[in-house]
Amino acid sequence: MSCSSCCAAAAVPSPPVVLARPRVRFAASCSTRTDQKVLFLGSRQFPRITYNPSSRASSRLSRREVIAFAGQQSWDIGRFVRTLYFFNGPPNPLKIVESIISSFTSSASSEAPKKMETSDVVLVTGATGGVGRRVVDILRKKGIPVRVLARNDDKARSMLGRDVDLIIGDVTKEDTLDPKLFKGVRKVVNAVSVIVGPKEGDTPDRQKYKQGIKFFEPEIKGPSPEMVEYIGMQNLINAIKNSVGLSEGKLLFGLKGNLSGKIVWGALDDVVMGGVSESTFQILPTGSETGGPTGLFKGTVSTSNNGGFTSIRTKNFTVPEDLSAYDGIELRVKGDGRRYKLIIRTSYEWDTIGYTESFDTTKGEWQSVKIPFSSLKPVFRARTMTDAPPFDASSITSLQLMFSKFEYDGKLNPTFTEGPFELPFSSIKAYINEPITPRFVHVSSAGVTRPERPGLDLSKQPPAVRLNKELGSILTYKLKGEDLIRESGVPYTIVRPCALTEEPAGADLIFDQGDNITGKISREEVARICVAALASPNAVGKTFEVKSTVPFSEPYVIDPSNSPPEKDYEVYFKELKEGITGKEALEATPAQV
């Protein structure tokens, strides 16, 4: 924690601050002929500081000297120096002095700080394909920010508009998918698919392709199914995983594997203000609620020498944590009935704003404490900073736990008592608000589990199933790609359409699970399903097939002047079950058609 945040413990008027051992003088010499003042600590002179005479701190100092005499306990200057060096080396001593002086001049803020800004950008991959471009169009009509991933700039802009928010990249080429390009993306609709076309060629507007491979002899065009459906999926998930987040959250501290070693904690107490409180971080081998190891924030807090706070803070992270995909921090703690603070920083500087929130604990009980990012207050030198930038969850540099006599802007902690305290905490992680909705909607294909299914009558199956090996094991790799999504931890929905057509949306639908149905469905309908799934908690973790009730032999048409109403897809999502993929039947009875 920076000195500025420590000053919260000295924000109310109080006797002169004790900074050193008995009879140490801390003074500001004043002159009527100059605005410069020289600060002394004992017999040592600090470098000269020039103050703005119009500032409150300067005007007060011009009227009187600040003299500090020893209280009942002496200041441990050795611990003070060790603290400074532990956290990225010593800060500028001038800033320390300014921070101490500001504690006498701070006042409560009457304005609310700026709120954290959020982003709901949806990334659409395969955006120039039949389903992808329709997804883009639907999202735009709904006013949802869209970013697209495409391989060809001219093609994407001519199809989607010159002003499209565009990333030029190829899922089969990992080096084109820099995660920085996906900053701000919260959800993904993946419509990338291996290209299948007629061996004998197609018309310029791809009329044969639009009829489906039932009507032509197919072959793979471009990269192989393995590269697109499997390796491409690996590359895409790696690129967007940090942006979209994990269902179970992101663990920052927890004694699992070597995760505890990623964070180095150190004590940061009121010794930096001249106080004598003292704390430490320990690991208790059997202290958790399950009998395993847990972290422990413990110490003794004292108001002697105008102190009154203890804390433990992490050293600055080597690489800032990007938690922009999440909604807050969750701590698992064993309470003692006291109120503590969580402080988060987004700067590597020592003397900087700490985004802060208090939390209460229940004595003797393990509890989960959720602190939304939206509740964090920007605190600097004892004051809530109304002009501070909104909290940036994409650039977190350190964490801190504090027990303090003071809250914010001079208010007192109602649970504060002097003496020893202990706060065991087993984990700190970022979390996604409930109800969780899909962050990754993937357009796969019906039939992906059928090529190896025993006893299956291939003559009754779609061409892709019958020709799986001839088409580079297209369905096999589609299934492998699906499995990568299910294993990623990202909240997902996998849509498996039957044969895609250019027919309009609106026909009655059949949603099924287990990978048994055949039929056809409109690309427009699939696009609508994907967009609806993005907002549905009932679609999370579901894999399903979908087709229309109209048989192949009958074209589906509508009256443009009397289009059917858009469906409530939530009715279908609610009936789906998690964990059903069709792989269950690979060693079971033959599938139905």
Side-chain angles (χ1 to χ4, degrees), residues 268-483:
L268 187 50
D269 305 320
D270 57 19
V271 66
V272 297
M273 300 292 295
V276 298
S277 300
E278 190 168 2
S279 67
T280 187
F281 168 76
Q282 298 177 0
I283 295 178
L284 298 180
T286 58
S288 76
E289 54 194 313
T290 59
T294 187
L296 177 66
F297 170 33
K298 66 176 293 187
T300 301
V301 65
S302 170
T303 57
S304 296
N305 297 7
N306 291 88
F309 69 86
T310 62
S311 75
I312 55 171
R313 175 179 166 179
T314 65
K315 280 191 171 183
N316 284 338
F317 305 143
T318 304
V319 177
E321 284 283 355
D322 183 356
L323 301 182
S324 56
Y326 302 92
D327 298 299
I329 294 291
E330 180 177 355
L331 303 97
R332 187 67 181 169
V333 304
K334 184 178 182 181
D336 58 2
R338 292 181 172 92
R339 178 176 295 176
Y340 293 85
K341 293 178 182 177
L342 174 69
I343 302 170
I344 304 175
R345 284 185 176 73
T346 58
S347 170
Y348 279 114
E349 294 181 7
W350 168 269
D351 193 20
T352 186
I353 288 172
Y355 293 86
T356 310
E357 180 61 301
S358 299
F359 61 93
D360 292 307
T361 65
T362 303
K363 188 173 182 178
E365 292 185 9
W366 280 97
Q367 61 189 108
S368 292
V369 177
K370 287 188 174 182
I371 299 177
F373 290 144
S374 59
S375 71
L376 295 172
K377 306 171 184 65
V379 176
F380 183 66
R381 297 187 179 177
R383 291 173 293 178
T384 302
M385 305 301 293
T386 59
D387 59 347
F391 174 70
D392 181 6
S394 70
S395 184
I396 293 175
T397 57
S398 69
L399 302 174
Q400 184 172 358
L401 291 171
M402 173 181 280
F403 179 49
S404 174
K405 177 181 178 180
F406 293 94
E407 284 284 279
Y408 316 99
D409 303 314
K411 295 180 181 179
L412 297 175
N413 178 353
T415 71
F416 178 79
T417 56
E418 291 191 77
F421 70 91
E422 291 189 356
L423 183 71
F425 61 103
S426 58
S427 66
I428 301 176
K429 70 176 183 178
Y431 69 87
I432 297 175
N433 280 337
E434 299 283 354
I436 297 175
T437 55
R439 299 293 179 93
F440 194 103
V441 176
H442 173 58
V443 182
S444 183
S445 175
V448 294
T449 69
R450 299 180 207 174
E452 304 300 327
R453 191 178 297 183
L456 192 67
D457 185 351
L458 291 178
S459 66
K460 297 181 180 180
Q461 293 300 312
V465 177
R466 299 197 306 269
L467 300 173
N468 180 57
K469 290 183 178 179
E470 289 81 355
L471 292 174
S473 298
I474 181 173
L475 296 181
T476 301
Y477 284 111
K478 280 183 178 288
L479 180 59
K480 286 179 177 290
E482 286 185 8
D483 288 340

Side-chain angles (χ1 to χ4, degrees), residues 1-316:
M1 172 180 149
S2 71
C3 293
S4 59
S5 295
C6 296
C7 289
V12 295
S14 58
V17 177
V18 175
L19 294 177
R21 57 190 178 275
R23 303 302 300 170
V24 172
R25 173 183 173 93
F26 175 81
S29 63
C30 306
S31 171
T32 58
R33 294 175 298 174
T34 178
D35 295 327
Q36 295 179 326
K37 300 166 179 65
V38 181
L39 299 181
F40 298 86
L41 180 60
S43 61
R44 296 182 61 85
Q45 177 177 313
F46 275 65
R48 177 164 294 186
I49 306 173
T50 301
Y51 290 96
N52 181 346
S54 64
S55 71
R56 290 183 60 187
S58 179
S59 62
R60 288 192 179 194
L61 285 170
S62 66
R63 293 193 297 269
R64 61 180 173 84
E65 290 184 328
V66 178
I67 307 295
F69 298 99
Q72 297 178 350
Q73 300 186 47
S74 62
W75 181 40
D76 187 344
I77 191 170
R79 186 157 64 93
F80 171 75
V81 172
R82 289 194 299 271
T83 298
L84 299 188
Y85 273 91
F86 181 83
F87 294 102
N88 290 333
N92 188 329
L94 303 188
K95 288 190 175 182
I96 299 174
V97 173
E98 291 173 0
S99 183
I100 294 171
I101 293 173
S102 72
S103 70
F104 291 101
T105 64
S106 60
S107 59
S109 171
S110 59
E111 299 181 29
K114 297 176 182 178
K115 292 292 185 181
M116 178 184 69
E117 298 177 356
T118 59
S119 169
D120 294 312
V121 175
V122 177
L123 176 73
V124 181
T125 64
T128 59
V131 173
R133 60 185 171 83
R134 290 174 168 89
V135 170
V136 171
D137 184 55
I138 295 169
L139 290 169
R140 282 174 165 172
K141 288 179 179 177
K142 290 180 175 291
I144 299 172
V146 182
R147 188 174 302 166
V148 303
L149 175 68
R151 293 179 297 172
N152 187 289
D153 186 292
D154 290 338
K155 180 180 179 180
R157 295 190 187 279
S158 63
M159 184 177 290
L160 303 172
R162 304 308 301 179
D163 61 344
V164 65
D165 184 358
L166 179 62
I167 299 173
I168 299 299
D170 186 338
V171 296
T172 67
K173 299 175 181 178
E174 185 179 13
D175 59 350
T176 68
L177 304 180
D178 186 342
K180 294 179 182 177
L181 299 173
F182 302 96
K183 186 174 182 179
V185 168
R186 292 296 169 268
K187 298 189 176 186
V188 177
V189 177
N190 180 40
V192 170
S193 179
V194 68
I195 299 175
V196 179
K199 283 186 177 180
E200 67 277 11
D202 205 345
T203 62
D205 56 356
R206 302 188 72 192
Q207 282 301 314
K208 293 181 181 179
Y209 169 77
K210 291 176 182 178
Q211 294 180 70
I213 64 174
K214 183 181 178 71
F215 303 99
F216 61 81
E217 187 177 1
E219 69 175 359
I220 299 297
K221 308 283 187 177
S224 69
E226 180 181 12
M227 287 299 301
V228 176
E229 306 289 350
Y230 181 62
I231 294 175
M233 183 66 76
Q234 283 182 320
N235 294 338
L236 180 60
I237 290 174
N238 289 338
I240 57 87
K241 197 171 184 177
N242 283 338
S243 293
V244 301
L246 306 177
S247 297
E248 295 184 356
K250 183 173 183 178
L251 191 64
L252 304 175
F253 169 82
L255 298 172
K256 295 181 180 179
N258 65 349
L259 279 173
S260 61
K262 291 186 177 181
I263 290 183
V264 180
W265 296 92
L268 187 50
D269 305 320
D270 57 19
V271 66
V272 297
M273 300 292 295
V276 298
S277 300
E278 190 168 2
S279 67
T280 187
F281 168 76
Q282 298 177 0
I283 295 178
L284 298 180
T286 58
S288 76
E289 54 194 313
T290 59
T294 187
L296 177 66
F297 170 33
K298 66 176 293 187
T300 301
V301 65
S302 170
T303 57
S304 296
N305 297 7
N306 291 88
F309 69 86
T310 62
S311 75
I312 55 171
R313 175 179 166 179
T314 65
K315 280 191 171 183
N316 284 338

